[in-house]
Amino acid sequence: MLELAKILQQDIVNLGFDGEERNKADLKQTKFYEFVLNDGLRAKTEKLYLDGHYARAVEEAYKYIDNLVKKRAGKLCKADSGTKLMQEAFSPNNPILMLNKNVTRTEQDEQLGYMQIYAGCMLGIRNPRAHDTDIEDEREHALKLLGFADHLVSRIKDAKVADDSD
């Protein structure tokens, strides 16, 4: 019986299901679920990230942001996607998606800052992964970018659409 248990244990290790590997996989999953809280974002990125396709997971996260802004801004926004969409949707001069009341200097600065962040994410995070097949993200780097995407998604969801803000 003891020999059978040893053989079974060795088979488990040979198949890659030893405790250490299982713990690493559990940790990777746990971190993902801690960083990516939004259900929609999670649905777009979970399988890619957990399967080790980190750059694709990041690309999909920022495409999700682009599409979410497009959907929330709706017909009020003329731009299709990318930096122009973000600049138009979050413009502090005439915001379509208002992150705050946009009255005080601090509120206007926040609106402008986030407009620049969203536009910068399209240019500096989404586009390189969408247009260059050689981009490879390390697991931890991708996780940080996914966590940041989660924050940006929550800001979009909390934003007031200009017509609804009265």
Side-chain angles (χ1 to χ4, degrees), residues 1-149:
M1 195 67 154
L2 186 59
E3 276 305 307
L4 184 58
K6 286 180 181 177
I7 292 170
L8 268 172
Q9 180 62 34
Q10 188 57 48
D11 286 345
I12 289 170
V13 170
N14 290 341
L15 289 171
F17 294 114
D18 62 321
E20 185 176 326
E21 287 303 312
R22 193 169 46 248
N23 287 340
K24 286 180 185 176
D26 290 346
L27 181 61
K28 183 168 72 171
Q29 289 178 357
T30 300
K31 280 187 172 183
F32 175 83
Y33 296 116
E34 288 174 3
F35 279 76
V36 184
L37 303 175
N38 178 270
D39 291 336
L41 182 62
R42 192 179 281 176
K44 294 288 183 188
T45 60
E46 180 177 31
K47 182 163 176 32
L48 289 167
Y49 180 82
L50 295 178
D51 287 349
H53 303 290
Y54 305 123
R56 277 292 315 283
V58 171
E59 178 188 348
E60 290 302 315
Y62 287 85
K63 284 168 46 179
Y64 179 76
I65 288 171
D66 192 65
N67 289 325
L68 185 59
V69 169
K70 191 182 320 180
K71 181 178 179 181
R72 295 262 0 254
K75 296 176 183 172
L76 297 172
C77 204
K78 294 179 180 98
D80 269 351
S81 68
T83 57
K84 290 183 179 178
L85 172 67
M86 302 305 153
Q87 290 166 341
E88 189 177 346
F90 294 103
S91 169
N93 299 328
N94 190 20
I96 296 168
L97 298 179
M98 298 178 66
L99 300 173
N100 54 51
K101 293 180 181 184
N102 202 34
V103 174
T104 68
R105 176 63 185 218
T106 299
E107 291 169 340
Q108 292 166 355
D109 286 350
E110 181 184 32
Q111 187 76 31
L112 173 63
Y114 270 90
M115 178 201 75
Q116 292 172 337
I117 289 169
Y118 282 106
C121 287
M122 295 301 110
L123 193 60
I125 298 174
R126 184 201 65 175
N127 285 1
R129 286 158 187 80
H131 301 296
D132 188 342
T133 59
D134 293 333
I135 300 290
E136 291 297 330
D137 289 311
E138 295 294 322
R139 181 175 53 87
E140 287 296 320
H141 181 71
L143 190 58
K144 290 174 186 175
L145 291 173
L146 292 172
F148 187 56

